[in-house]
């Protein structure tokens, strides 16, 4: 009897997908884990870095929206880039997501452990070994939740992300109206004057990309989403808009209410210090709860992204075929989950040799930023190529399927190369070294049919859609290698 290989269809709706997009970007976790890194890199320009990275990031979100209309695939950019640009670039795109998500298992689990200890044993919160153990326990819990299916996953997300967002919104309003401020708000924080040159801007934008990363989990869930041609991309755009507002409000609040020394000393716990400043006595604990829930929630969405990507790779035989096997009962990629769990737990042990929680986060954030820039940038180029024949048919196609994604792609590649001079060797080694490892499976599985793909072409897909809807026939003379997807 053959093993089941499919994912469960039509599990998630529009609201479910929006929840997953917000949870994927993990607003509380991103602020807690990354604010000190961003402020240490660009100072008062932190709100500006988030603003100017958001503009091209929305271009990438539009790219995912438009590409998702053509090809429903759990691999998302892995499949799109292969069919629009080149299969090797597609594999690189998928591999970049896989390695960035795997590194994040450590970068995300450590704060989850640290925050849990902060609630129940504050004196042990900076104990790296103990934080690793507690974080690993949370990781295993999320592994089981993801194994049991997308429906249970989204129910867990609604609870965790709902509480997180309520806490964050309450603090956002309280922080902006707070009487005590070490600095008064300045519009210059949203300008370019506080950046240390072009390289400083690029380094800040690279870190800002890490803040936003994760909204695209909706595309990896497309095979499990109702009406996903519209739902997945729209949910990603809405989720990105929500977290953008939260990031700006909290980063401005940090500039106003905390000194540079306070941020540096509390680099792994900035939100807790901000919470104490806004609501003394219990504010810090409340924000720790928000960060803990956010961290656990984003571990879940990251597991979804990496396992769905590996599932698609296994199905295409560009990685071991067993990875493309789904669980008989839950219809989830259980082999990929087991593989990711084993690798992540090994990295938890290895991470203890890298130093404190803060040190590990610093290197991981920068390394992941490099990998994010690669696969987001490739997706931005892919949509322009896929839609090249129809870009001039409407202003929407030109702006959202062409100009804006292309701008986003060029920005991502620019910050990738420009920031290399500002990063330390550890971050570059982890970021680019992990990408280079992908050459091994790429060469090993080069005979897969994935490397001889049908081309992704919006014009051809539009023709087939019209034929499907009996609006107009597809010309019989179409004899190239460009075929539509699954209309």
């Amino acid at each position: 009897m053959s093993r089941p290989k499919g994912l469960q269809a039509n599990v998630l709706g529009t609201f479910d997908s929006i929840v997953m997009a917000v949870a994927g970007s993990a607003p509380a976790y991103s602020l807690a884990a990354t604010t000190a890194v961003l402020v240490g890199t660009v100072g008062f320009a932190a709100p500006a870095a988030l603003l100017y990275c958001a503009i091209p990031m929305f271009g990438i979100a539009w790219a995912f929206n438009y590409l998702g209309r053509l090809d429903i695939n759990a691999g998302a950019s892995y499949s799109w880039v292969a069919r629009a640009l080149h299969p090797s670039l597609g594999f690189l795109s998928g591999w970049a997501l896989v390695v960035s998500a795997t590194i994040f298992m450590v970068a995300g689990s450590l704060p989850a452990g640290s925050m849990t200890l902060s609630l129940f044993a504050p004196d042990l919160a900076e104990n790296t070994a103990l934080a690793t153990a507690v974080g690993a326990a949370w990781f295993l819990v999320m592994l089981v939740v993801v194994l049991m299916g997308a429906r249970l996953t989204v129910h867990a997300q609604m609870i965790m992300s709902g509480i997180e967002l309520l806490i964050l919104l309450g603090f956002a309003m309280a922080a902006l109206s707070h009487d005590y401020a070490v600095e008064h708000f300045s519009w210059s924080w949203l300008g370019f004057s506080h950046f240390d040159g072009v390289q400083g801007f690029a380094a800040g934008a690279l870190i800002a990309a890490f803040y936003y990363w994760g909204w695209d989990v909706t595309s990896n869930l497309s095979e499990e989403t109702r009406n996903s041609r519209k739902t997945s991309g729209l949910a990603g755009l809405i989720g990105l808009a929500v977290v953008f507002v939260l990031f700006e409000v909290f980063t401005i609040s940090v500039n106003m209410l905390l000194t540079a020394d306070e941020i540096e000393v509390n680099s792994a716990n900035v939100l807790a210090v901000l919470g104490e400043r806004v609501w003394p006595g219990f504010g810090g604990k409340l924000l720790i709860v928000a960060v803990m829930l956010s961290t656990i929630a984003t571990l879940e969405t990251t597991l979804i992204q990496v396992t769905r990507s590996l599932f698609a790779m296994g199905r295409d035989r560009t990685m071991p075929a067993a990875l493309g096997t789904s669980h008989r009962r839950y219809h989830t990629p259980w082999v990929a989950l087991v593989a990711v769990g084993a690798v992540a737990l090994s990295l938890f042990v290895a991470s203890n040799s890298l130093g404190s929680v803060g040190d590990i986060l610093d290197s991981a954030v920068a390394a992941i930023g490099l990998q994010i820039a690669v696969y987001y940038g490739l997706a931005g180029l892919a949509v322009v190529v896929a839609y090249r024949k129809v870009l001039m048919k409407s202003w929407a196609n030109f702006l959202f399927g062409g100009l804006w994604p292309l701008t986003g792609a060029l920005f991502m590649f620019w910050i990738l190369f420009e920031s290399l001079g500002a990063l330390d060797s550890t971050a570059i080694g982890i970021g680019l070294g992990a990408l280079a490892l992908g050459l091994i499976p790429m060469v090993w599985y080069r005979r897969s049919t994935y490397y001889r793909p049908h081309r992704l072409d919006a014009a051809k897909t539009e023709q087939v859609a019209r034929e499907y809807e009996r609006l107009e026939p597809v010309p019989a003379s179409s004899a190239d290698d460009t075929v539509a997807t699954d209309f």
Side-chain angles (χ1 to χ4, degrees):
M1 183 181 294
S2 62
R3 295 176 295 179
K5 293 181 180 292
L7 301 172
Q8 188 173 7
N10 301 320
V11 178
L12 306 179
T14 303
F15 182 74
D16 301 329
S17 295
I18 293 171
V19 170
M20 297 300 288
V22 173
S25 290
Y29 165 78
S30 298
L31 288 162
T34 320
T35 297
V37 182
L38 184 60
V39 172
T41 302
V42 298
F44 284 116
L50 288 166
L51 171 63
Y52 296 120
C53 185
I55 297 170
M57 187 63 74
F58 273 103
I60 302 303
W62 277 112
F64 273 70
N65 183 308
Y66 269 62
L67 287 166
R69 299 176 188 181
L70 303 181
D71 183 15
I72 298 174
N73 194 294
S77 62
Y78 155 79
S79 173
W80 303 332
V81 173
R83 296 182 60 192
L85 300 180
H86 191 276
S88 294
L89 292 177
F91 184 87
L92 177 63
S93 179
W95 182 259
L97 190 153
V98 168
V99 294
S100 60
T102 304
I103 293 171
F104 179 79
M105 299 306 171
V106 177
S109 297
L110 284 174
S114 181
M115 292 297 167
T116 304
L117 292 171
S118 294
L119 285 176
F120 302 105
D123 294 340
L124 299 175
E126 286 301 312
N127 185 315
T128 304
L130 192 55
T132 301
V134 177
W138 277 121
F139 171 76
L140 290 174
V141 170
M142 289 302 101
L143 199 72
V144 173
V145 171
V146 172
L147 171 66
M148 295 179 69
R151 174 49 54 192
L152 176 61
T153 299
V154 80
H155 283 164
Q157 287 292 0
M158 285 181 182
I159 296 171
M160 292 186 292
S161 296
I163 296 172
E164 172 198 356
L165 289 177
L166 286 174
I167 294 173
L168 288 180
L169 288 172
F171 267 94
M173 292 184 288
L176 290 179
S177 60
H178 199 269
D179 293 333
Y180 174 80
V182 295
E183 293 283 345
H184 294 293
F185 172 77
S186 171
W187 285 107
S188 68
W189 296 346
L190 298 173
F192 292 94
S193 60
H194 292 286
F195 288 108
D196 183 18
V198 173
Q199 198 171 76
F201 172 75
L206 189 73
I207 296 168
F210 176 81
Y211 273 80
Y212 295 115
W213 176 53
W215 53 265
D216 51 307
V217 64
T218 58
S219 295
N220 295 104
L221 284 166
S222 62
E223 294 185 31
E224 298 155 87
T225 303
R226 294 189 294 275
N227 194 22
S228 62
R229 293 188 188 280
K230 296 180 180 178
T231 300
S232 297
L234 176 63
L237 284 162
I238 294 173
L240 181 58
V242 170
V243 297
F244 165 70
V245 173
L246 287 172
F247 290 154
E248 284 294 335
V249 169
F250 270 85
T251 309
I252 290 171
S253 300
V254 167
N255 275 2
M256 293 172 61
L257 300 178
L258 300 180
T259 66
D261 289 340
E262 287 175 317
I263 295 170
E264 183 178 358
V265 170
N266 299 280
S267 61
N269 207 13
V270 171
L271 276 197
V273 179
L274 181 65
E276 284 293 333
R277 185 63 47 80
V278 175
W279 285 335
F282 69 95
K285 292 289 186 183
L286 203 55
L287 273 184
I288 287 175
V289 171
V291 174
M292 184 180 72
L293 290 173
S294 179
T295 308
I296 296 167
T298 198
L299 278 177
E300 189 179 68
T301 58
T302 307
L303 273 168
I304 288 173
Q305 282 198 281
V306 68
T307 54
R308 266 53 176 187
S309 296
L310 287 173
F311 173 82
M313 289 174 159
R315 185 172 58 188
D316 290 341
R317 303 298 195 271
T318 58
M319 293 283 279
L323 294 172
T325 303
S326 62
H327 194 279
R328 291 186 179 278
R329 177 179 177 185
Y330 301 120
H331 299 282
T332 51
W334 72 272
V335 177
L337 277 163
V338 171
V340 169
V343 172
L345 290 174
S346 300
L347 290 177
F348 291 155
V349 176
S351 68
N352 281 273
S353 64
L354 297 178
S356 69
V357 174
D359 293 337
I360 294 169
L361 287 177
D362 287 354
S363 296
V365 166
I368 291 172
L370 294 173
Q371 295 153 0
I372 293 169
V374 169
Y375 88 85
Y376 278 170
L378 288 172
L381 293 180
V383 72
V384 177
V385 174
Y387 277 82
R388 66 192 182 280
K389 297 177 184 177
V390 296
L391 285 180
M392 305 308 294
K393 292 187 68 172
S394 71
W395 69 267
N397 279 1
F398 177 74
L399 178 60
F400 301 123
L403 181 61
W404 204 345
L406 179 61
T407 302
L410 295 177
F411 183 83
M412 290 296 161
F413 290 130
W414 177 76
I415 62 173
L416 168 66
F417 292 109
E418 190 66 33
S419 62
L420 290 177
L423 298 179
D424 60 41
S425 58
T426 301
I428 294 173
I430 295 173
L432 300 185
L435 284 177
L437 287 175
L439 295 175
I440 298 173
M442 184 189 296
V443 173
W444 186 264
Y445 293 99
R446 67 188 181 279
R447 294 186 179 180
S448 165
T449 55
Y450 166 86
Y451 290 101
R452 298 181 296 279
H454 295 303
R455 306 300 298 173
L456 196 62
D457 189 317
K460 180 67 70 173
T461 301
E462 185 176 279
Q463 286 181 326
V464 176
R466 286 172 178 166
E467 172 70 9
Y468 179 78
E469 296 167 0
R470 300 184 182 279
L471 296 178
E472 69 178 47
V474 179
S477 59
S478 299
D480 58 22
D481 66 344
T482 304
V483 300
T485 54
D486 49 345
F487 273 102

